[in-house]
């Protein structure tokens, strides 16, 4: 799955057709495919597809991170936006009390901070 995430839906689709449970597979460090989408610029491009196929947007890895936290730690704004649009909890906390916003602040993840602030502002008005 790791290699397929870098390539995108054309590589992921055949895997999921054959092994549908891979969409929420647990790998090293308790990471699911959505956590792995938060590991690189290329992988983040598969976030929306994994969500559409049933990826758990609130899965918690062994570091107590959800996929949104992982996007924040690596400044992956496209993946963060996809997770938020799918309903990821903007205010979810890790076991150490961190939020996506605090993680992004600490990492200097300004692209993600912009998305988080925009999303928070737009959804607090509703």
């Amino acid at each position: 799955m790791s290699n397929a995430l870098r390539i995108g839906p054309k590589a992921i689709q055949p895997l999921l057709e054959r092994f549908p449970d891979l969409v929420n597979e647990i790998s090293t460090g308790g990471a699911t495919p959505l956590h792995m989408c938060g590991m690189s610029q290329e992988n983040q491009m598969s976030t929306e597809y994994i969500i559409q196929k049933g990826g758990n947007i609130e899965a918690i890895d062994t570091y107590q991170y959800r996929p949104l936290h992982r996007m924040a730690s690596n400044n992956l704004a496209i993946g963060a936006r996809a997770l938020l649009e799918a309903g990821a909890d903007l205010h979810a906390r890790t076991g150490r009390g961190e939020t996506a916003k605090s993680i992004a602040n600490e990492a200097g993840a300004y692209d993600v901070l912009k998305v988080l602030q925009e999303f928070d502002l737009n959804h607090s008005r509703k």
Side-chain angles (χ1 to χ4, degrees), residues 29-30 35 58-67 69-70 92-98 103:
H35 288 97
E58 299 297 353
I60 298 173
D61 67 14
T62 55
Y63 303 99
Q64 303 277 311
Y65 271 33
R66 296 173 192 223
H69 297 135
R70 188 60 54 211
R93 294 185 176 272
T94 67
R96 295 185 306 204
E98 302 163 299
I103 291 166

Side-chain angles (χ1 to χ4, degrees), residues 1-8 11-12 15 22 25 27-28 31-33 36-37 39-40 42-43 46 50:
M1 181 61 92
S2 296
N3 290 331
L5 289 172
R6 276 192 292 280
I7 297 167
I12 299 167
L15 281 175
L22 287 179
E25 167 191 44
S27 63
T28 306
T32 66
M36 292 187 299
C37 285
M39 299 298 200
S40 74
E42 295 89 8
N43 287 15
S46 295
I50 294 293

Side-chain angles (χ1 to χ4, degrees), residues 78-92:
I78 293 169
R81 183 177 301 280
L83 287 163
L84 290 167
E85 288 176 353
D89 183 355
L90 175 65
H91 304 290

